[in-house]
Amino acid sequence: MRRIGLTGGIGSGKSTVSALWQALGATIVDTDAIARSLTVAGGPAMPALVQAFGADIADASGALDRARMREQVFADAGAKRVLEGILHPLIGAECERQAGLAQAPVVVFDVPLLVESGRWRRLVDKVLVVDTSTQTQRERVMARSGWSEDTVRAVIAQQATRAARRAAADAVLFNDGVTVQELAGQVQGLWNRWLGAALR
């Protein structure tokens, strides 16, 4: 089984590339989806998050108030470390559980903060980065989320630089001004090359 780490900055089009891998038959392990499942009302992470950050960190339903949490993380690096200390072990365990159930020849771990985490490089065979200009990132995120430009800039500033992500990559897909069909062709080429190498 080939283990591929997929990453990219917010608004890079990583979800599109993930869907292309899935269409070829890969199993996708989505760390963002796992994080959300851990922080719904009654989610496994919520007791520790409430203990660490107070009852106000939960919304009226009992789920994580993501906007409030984002504000705290942006304002306080210590809060970010506490949040990661709670979520990352739980996310890691669920990732391995899902990967262990996979029957596909390729498992793609969709990890937005792969480079920032420092631990994912040793857990995957290859790292694929989806790259795009920061201007395109801002435009895409503002269009889909309704966030202000300042908020989007703050999120981008919290993530690894484009150069740092590219330096960590075994392959880079530049998703700016290309069609989905062109991206699909590049993903197919990587599937052939990386899966073929694994079988030789």
Side-chain angles (χ1 to χ4, degrees):
M1 181 182 292
R2 204 66 160 164
R3 294 165 62 103
I4 296 171
L6 172 64
T7 194
I10 188 171
S12 64
K14 183 171 52 62
S15 296
T16 299
V17 172
S18 178
L20 292 170
W21 280 99
Q22 188 170 36
L24 289 175
T27 292
I28 306 299
V29 178
D30 185 337
T31 58
D32 261 359
I34 291 171
R36 287 192 295 272
S37 73
L38 294 171
T39 56
V40 296
M46 287 308 298
L49 291 172
V50 169
Q51 182 176 9
F53 296 102
D56 286 348
I57 208 62
D59 64 19
S61 74
L64 179 66
D65 185 328
R66 299 175 74 86
R68 186 183 294 272
M69 188 75 257
R70 188 165 54 245
E71 289 174 3
Q72 289 204 30
V73 167
F74 287 160
D76 181 0
K80 181 181 180 183
R81 287 192 293 272
V82 172
L83 175 66
E84 292 173 345
I86 293 168
L87 289 182
H88 284 185
L90 296 171
I91 292 170
E94 179 60 15
C95 282
E96 292 305 323
R97 187 192 73 80
Q98 292 186 19
L101 296 174
Q103 300 298 312
V106 177
V107 175
V108 174
F109 296 88
D110 184 336
V111 188
L113 301 181
L114 184 149
V115 173
E116 294 87 338
S117 76
R119 70 184 188 89
W120 272 98
R121 173 70 267 190
R122 67 181 183 274
L123 300 177
V124 296
D125 301 305
K126 298 288 185 180
V127 171
L128 172 60
V129 168
V130 185
D131 186 39
T132 192
S133 70
T134 53
Q135 179 179 342
T136 298
Q137 285 181 269
R138 291 195 300 270
E139 291 171 353
R140 287 175 179 166
V141 177
M142 289 167 65
R144 79 184 185 202
S145 68
W147 291 356
S148 70
E149 184 168 358
D150 285 346
T151 298
V152 178
R153 287 180 182 275
V155 172
I156 292 172
Q158 289 275 326
Q159 297 184 335
T161 65
R162 292 175 63 199
R165 279 193 295 267
R166 290 195 299 264
D170 294 294
V172 178
L173 299 183
F174 187 63
N175 184 27
D176 207 337
V178 299
T179 66
V180 173
Q181 290 74 19
E182 288 169 330
L183 275 180
Q186 294 180 65
V187 170
Q188 180 71 68
L190 289 172
W191 175 286
N192 295 343
R193 188 165 83 232
W194 288 348
L195 184 58
L199 295 177
R200 284 198 292 270

